[in-house]
Amino acid sequence: MKNNETESRGAPSRRTFLQRLTSGVIGLGAVLGSWPMFRALVPNVLYEPPKRVRLGSPGTFQNGMTYLEEHRVFLLRDGNSYSAVSGVCSHLGCTVKFAPFEQSRQLTVRDHEFEALGEFHCPCHGSKFHGDGTNYSGPAPRPLQWHHLEVSPKDGSLVVDLALGVERDFKLVV
Ligand code: FES
């Protein structure tokens, strides 16, 4: 009698309250239980920055070495010839610094002759690399990576492919 009175005034009875609570718990359990199934419908995608990057018009780069901090790449220009070497140390991935020579030097490293404007030093654990990227001191196990360059047919800008490695003597002549 009292319950009816309570319900008639709009407040739920104890039974109604327990029914709703049970329904809520069951509903929540169903949602949580099926979460892995819904999650499996969403692919595991790793969002990474693009690997092919437009650097700008070739003519805008000065002769010599230019560090492109955003991409951790050194762009080397020698007249109309361009090449790009990674600034990522092959030891644990710190960014190497370019240490220019007072005067360029003719070097032969691993049977490759080239004119070196300087060399690369890693500030983290002291690895050193010749100007052609070859590691010669410290814990770095491999040379620095050279990257493929091309000119975009759309607008003539230089495009570096950070996922595509090339030999250290690769040069793009524009
Ligand atoms: S990260 Fe460059 S020497 Fe260790």
Side-chain angles (χ1 to χ4, degrees):
M1 194 68 177
K2 197 174 180 184
N3 276 349
N4 284 345
E5 279 174 23
T6 310
E7 281 195 70
S8 65
R9 274 191 247 128
S13 68
R14 174 186 270 206
R15 172 180 281 198
T16 308
F17 173 74
L18 288 175
Q19 282 173 342
R20 287 180 185 165
L21 182 66
T22 306
S23 302
V25 169
I26 290 172
L28 183 66
V31 169
L32 292 178
S34 56
W35 170 249
M37 191 181 77
F38 287 117
R39 181 65 188 88
L41 297 175
V42 180
N44 286 324
V45 178
L46 185 60
Y47 294 99
E48 290 185 337
K51 296 294 183 190
R52 286 171 53 81
V53 180
R54 237 170 254 277
L55 300 179
S57 171
T60 59
F61 295 98
Q62 63 187 14
N63 258 316
M65 197 69 85
T66 301
Y67 180 54
L68 306 169
E69 186 174 358
E70 189 183 346
H71 312 300
R72 298 177 79 194
V73 161
F74 291 91
L75 184 76
L76 178 60
R77 178 179 179 186
D78 181 10
N80 60 351
S81 152
Y82 296 81
S83 48
V85 64
S86 172
V88 179
C89 179
S90 61
H91 180 221
L92 293 178
C94 288
T95 302
V96 298
K97 305 262 181 267
F98 182 65
F101 297 145
E102 281 188 13
Q103 280 193 331
S104 63
R105 298 176 196 166
Q106 208 63 29
L107 293 180
T108 302
V109 177
R110 292 190 292 145
D111 299 327
H112 173 60
E113 191 178 335
F114 62 98
E115 184 183 356
L117 302 177
E119 57 185 27
F120 301 93
H121 297 166
C122 182
C124 290
H125 312 102
S127 288
K128 292 184 178 177
F129 305 82
H130 289 298
D132 71 337
T134 301
N135 50 311
Y136 73 89
S137 173
R142 288 181 306 283
L144 299 175
Q145 179 67 66
W146 291 85
H147 293 298
H148 186 263
L149 278 176
E150 64 186 31
V151 172
S152 166
K154 276 188 193 164
D155 59 5
S157 62
L158 274 180
V159 176
V160 63
D161 191 332
L162 300 173
L164 185 56
V166 292
E167 294 296 323
R168 61 193 158 145
D169 56 356
F170 173 91
K171 301 235 182 300
L172 172 71
V173 177
V174 176

